Each structure stands twice: as structure tokens, then as C-alpha cells.
Amino acid sequence: AVVSTQSTGSAFKDVFPEFDIKNCYFHLCQSVQRKIHETFKKKYFTDKVFARASRLVAFLAFVPLDKVEEALIYDITFYIQINFPQLMVVLNYFEATYLGQVIPETEARTIPRFPVEFWNHYGRISADPTFPRTRNMVEGFHRGFRTRLSKSKPTVQSYFKAIREQQVQTDYDLDRLEGGITPSKRRRLDHGGLHSICVSFDEYDCTLNY
């Protein structure tokens, strides 16, 4: 299951303990981008090389769990320090929030706000190329449902009317599926390209080339 917050994931895990809960990759990227825009918004939109470098940390979501720290410290940090040292503020934010800060004079780290196991998708994508990385399908449904409501704060009567209309539409779609009729627009869930890259991780000599 893919969720947008850790609290949602914890609640979901309480009810469905057998499920593998992952953070939405889109929300991870949003978090990084907000930090970038705090200081570098203009440069981000005018310098493509700088913009790509600033987003490198988000790609750690597709690096093997046991390689994430190594990739951040020895590959991404080294590259950023040489080419875009001003971006170290973004890397430091990501490290503190998603890996935990290194405790002085030890090799241990503080507990991060979001554990690596929560936001890293490598294992799931490697095992199943159809595993969703984001909650876009759910959010798409919510946007569609909101179009049935004429106000942002509908009355109870109009809300239940919208629910009934949605249920009618859902029953209709299910009947069509059972009859072998697929929707005219199908969302592509097969991340075959990303899956191929993930399973060939060991073939790359450097995470930056990956």
C-alpha cells in the first residue's frame, strides 16, 4: 500500500499488518522540491543541470536499502560538493529527515523522521514492476468525486446524493469489466523500464550513472 504520511501508514498497518506500507514517491519529491525552492527557485527553473543535480537525492528511493547511505555520502555528496556546493543545504536536509544525522564520534545516526524502509521503493519495484510508486490513482478518484459536488462544503443531502451517483457508476463499471469490456482509457501501471534499471543496479560502477 502507498500512503502520503507516516501516521496514515501506521494506522493502515494496525488494520492490515500483512501489508507492505510505502511512502508516496510523489510526496517525497515534493518535500525535496519545497526545500530547493526555499533558496534556489529561480535557478531551478533556469538551469537544467542545476535542477537535475538538486533532485538527485530523490532517486535514492530506487537504490537498494543497504546502499542508500553509501550512495548519498560517497557519490551524491561528492558530486554536489565539487559542482554545486550551495546545494549542500538540500542534502543536509534530506539526510537529517530521511536518514538521520550522524551522532558525533560514533557511526550511529539519530532516528529520522521518515525511516529508509518507509520511503525506499527498490525492493518492491524489483519484485513487481506493477507496484505503484504514488497515490495518483486514489487522488484521481478523489478529484473525480469532487466534481459531483457543487460546493467545497456540501450539505449532508448533496454529499449522500454524490455517493449514490458514484456507487451507480462503480457498479456500472464493474458490470462492464465482468462482461470483458475494459475502460477506454487505461492507466499504465507497468514500470518495466524502472524495473529493468533496478534489477541491474550492480552492473553500474557509480550511483550517478545508475
Side-chain angles (χ1 to χ4, degrees), residues 45-125:
F45 288 109
T46 57
D47 187 334
K48 292 182 178 180
V49 178
F50 177 88
R52 182 182 183 281
S54 69
R55 299 193 302 267
L56 284 175
V57 288
F59 300 145
L60 291 171
F62 305 108
V63 170
L65 276 174
D66 61 342
K67 301 291 185 181
V68 169
E69 184 173 2
E70 177 183 333
L72 175 65
I73 301 302
Y74 297 107
D75 292 332
I76 296 178
T77 299
F78 182 75
Y79 173 79
I80 293 298
Q81 285 179 332
I82 293 177
N83 298 281
F84 304 101
Q86 65 269 44
L87 283 175
M88 283 304 300
V89 64
V90 178
L91 265 66
N92 291 336
Y93 159 78
F94 185 90
E95 182 177 11
T97 306
Y98 294 97
L99 265 76
Q101 294 177 312
V102 175
I103 300 174
E105 301 181 0
T106 73
E107 295 184 357
R109 288 182 175 273
T110 58
I111 299 175
R113 181 179 179 186
F114 302 102
V116 181
E117 296 79 7
F118 179 58
W119 54 265
N120 184 276
H121 290 260
Y122 175 84
R124 294 302 305 168
I125 293 295

Side-chain angles (χ1 to χ4, degrees), residues 13 105 138 161 185:
K13 194 75 172 178
E105 301 181 0
V138 176
K161 179 183 177 182
K185 294 182 179 180

